[in-house]
Amino acid sequence: MAMTVAIVGRPNVGKSTLFNRLVGKRLALVDDTPGVTRDRREGRARLGDLEFAALDTAGLEEAKAGTLPARMTEQTRRAIAESDLVLFLIDARVGVTPQDAHFARILRRASAPVVLVANKSEGKGGVAGAAEAYRLGFGEPVAISAEHGEGMADLYERILAAAPEGASEAAEPEPEDAAESGPLQLAVVGRPNVGKSTLVNRLIGEERLLTGPEAGITRDAIAVDWEWRGRKLRLIDTAGLRRRSKVEAKLEKLSAADALRAVRFAEVVVLVLDAEQGLEKQDLTIARLVEEEGRALIIAANKWDAVADKAAAKRRLRDRIEASLPQVKGLPVVTLSALTGRNLDELMIAVFQAYEAWNRRVPTAQLNRWLEEATAAHPPPAVAGRRIRLRYMTQVKSRPPTFALFASRAEELPESYLRYLVNGLREAFDVQGVPVRLNLRKPKNPYAK
């Protein structure tokens, strides 16, 4: 069984840089601003022939109970409790600070073994700080530079020596069919402070993600593995997306880019909105982005328990969706309360229904029978007195459903008739609420040469 290694330390000592180095990709946001990381982030790490689960954590801080820094520190304490091994990072260029000494006392009470790591040890500036780290009481520090990859061989030796027996064995590779039928990738997106993290916590049944009244708590896109009724999912909580004109700070731009990347790699996206505020312009912008990326979309109207006139609110929401998002006709809307857990099963049923529609394949024979009926009921209009002939249709791919229509003078087919065909496809083959692509193709002329 692969072990779990938590990377802890005070803010801005390079925890996320080391995490990215170990997992081999830029999963965690990295910036010079202290306290960038707030939630625990897990990744599959490799160091030499060692494979383990690495946990990037928020910086350990002394803070007043109930504040955001205190909640961040509590998340880090949980990561320490769940780990087989702890990497305690200090900044070798700064040396041992009173904050480092305070948290060293906390780590001495932890059940997991601790490896002291003096990061930023490159050059002469880090030598004194690395030597000073002995007084923390964790033995010889491992001098590394996470940014430049120096000292990784020494870190490997110390992890191997300190790991509990049997925990350092490499994880067995997954069978090929398991990779193909992996967990459903479900991203939760929306504007700041609409309850995305609260929704994810309520779904998985634990306080895994930081929540609170402050807007913009989530910065990284945090993935959590979960099962619902025996079906595996990977839930991805994302940072709140504001209008681009309002995003000026570099860190918020990084968070927004991380959220958009999560949408691109998702299969189904849940757009969470505040039911009291309704569907705002920014919500529509996010929904259009999801549709352009070709992902299945669910609208989750959160805080529904606080809505006074529910019938009127639902009617306004439906009317706004029909008027502003015709490209995803039949979009499923689920009213819920993340705080109380109302309608969460209904949300997950809608997620898997959308996933099935997103993966749907239609046999070519059925498609062409439908095309014949559709054109008989409403023939394509003549252009410049000449009739456009729709010859043949086939599905070229799923995820999302994509069809190719072969027609004479395909480029002259009006947009309104294409919408008629797409809406007919949705109803006939139950692909409501997911993007449907219809590509026009011109048949080859055998006498062209």
Side-chain angles (χ1 to χ4, degrees):
M1 180 179 176
M3 66 177 169
T4 301
V5 177
I7 305 170
V8 305
R10 61 181 176 80
N12 220 30
V13 293
K15 299 182 297 298
S16 294
T17 305
L18 177 58
F19 174 82
N20 287 341
R21 170 76 59 183
L22 292 173
V23 299
K25 57 183 82 170
R26 291 180 64 88
L27 283 183
L29 296 182
V30 176
D31 192 68
D32 291 336
T33 309
V36 171
T37 303
R38 287 176 171 174
D39 285 289
R40 286 178 281 162
R41 180 189 277 276
E42 184 173 343
R44 190 170 180 176
R46 177 183 286 273
L47 189 58
D49 59 353
L50 285 178
E51 284 189 14
F52 51 90
L55 296 180
D56 185 25
T57 64
L60 289 162
E61 293 185 77
E62 294 182 76
K64 188 177 178 181
T67 61
L68 178 58
R71 299 200 299 274
M72 290 162 59
T73 298
E74 179 57 31
Q75 286 284 333
T76 301
R77 287 175 183 266
R78 289 184 186 179
I80 293 168
E82 294 170 7
S83 299
D84 301 302
L85 179 69
V86 176
L87 300 182
F88 179 28
L89 263 67
I90 67 163
D91 186 336
R93 291 181 301 192
V94 176
V96 175
T97 67
Q99 207 173 1
D100 291 324
H102 171 74
F103 291 112
R105 289 193 290 273
I106 293 174
L107 288 173
R108 274 195 284 273
R109 294 195 292 269
S111 57
V114 177
V115 173
L116 181 60
V117 181
N119 190 28
K120 307 181 186 180
S121 293
E122 68 275 15
K124 295 180 180 178
V127 174
E132 187 184 353
Y134 275 95
R135 67 185 181 87
L136 290 173
F138 294 108
E140 182 182 359
V142 184
I144 70 163
S145 170
E147 186 175 358
H148 299 101
E150 297 176 10
M152 292 297 114
D154 295 333
L155 183 61
Y156 166 85
E157 295 292 342
R158 287 293 298 277
I159 291 177
L160 194 63
E165 190 175 347
S168 60
E169 295 173 3
E172 293 183 10
E174 294 182 1
E176 291 182 14
D177 58 343
E180 290 175 7
S181 58
L184 188 156
Q185 304 285 329
L186 177 62
V188 180
V189 302
R191 292 180 288 111
N193 219 30
V194 293
K196 299 182 296 297
S197 298
T198 304
L199 175 59
V200 174
N201 283 343
R202 176 63 68 171
L203 284 170
I204 64 177
E206 64 173 285
E207 293 298 310
R208 172 65 179 78
L209 301 167
L210 279 176
T211 59
E214 306 91 344
I217 289 178
T218 303
R219 285 176 171 167
D220 292 87
I222 303 296
V224 181
D225 290 321
W226 178 57
E227 273 193 24
W228 182 77
R229 297 183 180 178
R231 303 185 71 170
K232 293 183 178 180
L233 299 99
R234 171 158 285 194
L235 285 171
I236 305 159
D237 183 33
T238 62
L241 292 168
R242 296 198 300 160
R243 285 165 54 185
R244 190 176 296 179
S245 59
K246 292 187 175 182
V247 179
E248 296 178 354
K250 177 188 172 186
L251 191 52
E252 188 173 358
K253 288 179 181 178
L254 291 172
S255 296
D258 209 26
L260 297 178
R261 193 179 305 114
V263 169
R264 293 187 189 102
F265 284 97
E267 294 167 323
V268 181
V269 176
V270 173
L271 171 57
V272 182
L273 55 90
D274 189 323
E276 290 185 287
Q277 298 174 11
L279 195 64
E280 297 196 347
K281 186 177 179 181
Q282 178 63 5
D283 297 316
L284 293 171
T285 301
I286 298 169
R288 291 187 187 111
L289 169 73
V290 174
E291 191 277 335
E292 287 167 7
E293 291 292 337
R295 305 300 169 222
L297 178 63
I298 310 287
I299 298 287
N302 190 27
K303 308 180 185 179
W304 192 250
D305 49 332
V307 175
D309 190 345
K310 292 179 170 53
K314 186 173 263 189
R315 188 168 55 251
R316 284 195 302 270
L317 185 57
R318 281 288 182 193
D319 291 345
R320 185 78 191 276
I321 289 172
E322 286 181 17
S324 303
L325 294 169
Q327 64 271 47
V328 278
K329 190 175 179 182
L331 187 66
V333 177
V334 180
T335 58
L336 55 85
S337 170
L339 199 60
T340 64
R342 179 184 184 274
N343 274 358
L344 295 191
D345 280 345
E346 187 179 327
L347 172 66
M348 295 312 302
I349 290 168
V351 164
F352 280 101
Q353 287 175 343
Y355 179 70
E356 288 168 12
W358 189 65
N359 281 279
R360 184 153 295 135
R361 295 201 74 92
V362 182
T364 300
Q366 286 185 32
L367 265 178
N368 285 284
R369 280 197 296 271
W370 168 83
L371 180 63
E372 193 175 321
E373 293 170 3
T375 52
H378 182 32
V383 178
R386 297 175 61 192
R387 183 178 160 215
I388 299 175
R389 293 186 62 190
L390 306 185
R391 299 178 182 275
Y392 179 75
M393 181 181 278
T394 187
Q395 184 173 359
V396 292
K397 74 179 192 73
S398 58
R399 305 165 67 93
T402 304
F403 304 91
L405 174 62
F406 293 85
S408 63
R409 298 185 299 135
E411 68 281 356
E412 296 178 9
L413 201 63
E415 188 68 31
S416 58
Y417 196 79
L418 289 177
R419 284 199 299 271
Y420 161 71
L421 292 176
V422 168
N423 289 336
L425 284 168
R426 289 186 190 282
E427 292 176 12
F429 302 109
D430 195 20
V431 284
Q432 300 278 13
V434 300
V436 173
R437 307 286 191 247
L438 181 57
N439 301 325
L440 292 176
R441 295 184 184 176
K442 203 171 181 179
K444 291 182 180 179
N445 184 354
Y447 303 105
K449 294 184 180 180

